[in-house]
């Protein structure tokens, strides 16, 4: 199915085009996105590390 549509402000969608766009959007919604999930997992790890780092006090050897 061709999903490359050139739409400008004067373009009107037909019912079949609107149906095709909605079907495509709904199918894409339920497909797994492994890279997006990996990015979210890495973001959570980074946030957790930052939270731990903010609560941890590091002393220099000169201060002891």
């Amino acid at each position: 199915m061709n999903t490359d549509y050139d739409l400008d402000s004067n373009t009107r969608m037909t019912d079949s085009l609107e149906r095709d766009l909605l079907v495509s959007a709904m199918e894409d919604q339920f497909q797994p996105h492994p890279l997006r999930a990996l990015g979210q997992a890495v973001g959570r790890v980074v946030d957790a590390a930052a939270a731990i780092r903010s609560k941890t006090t590091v002393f220099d050897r000169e201060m002891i």
Side-chain angles (χ1 to χ4, degrees), residues 16-55:
S16 65
L17 175 59
E18 187 176 3
R19 237 186 334 270
D20 290 344
L21 289 172
L22 286 172
V23 166
S24 176
M26 290 174 68
E27 287 174 354
D28 186 48
Q29 181 180 2
F30 296 109
Q31 290 181 355
H33 298 279
L35 291 179
R36 190 179 302 160
L38 179 62
Q40 290 174 351
V42 169
R44 288 186 194 122
V45 169
V46 168
D47 291 343
I52 291 170
R53 199 175 307 122
S54 71
K55 294 177 182 178

Side-chain angles (χ1 to χ4, degrees), residues 5-22:
Y5 300 109
D6 184 26
L7 303 175
D8 61 5
S9 61
N10 297 326
T11 302
R12 298 192 61 176
M13 289 195 296
T14 62
D15 287 342
S16 65
L17 175 59
E18 187 176 3
R19 237 186 334 270
D20 290 344
L21 289 172
L22 286 172

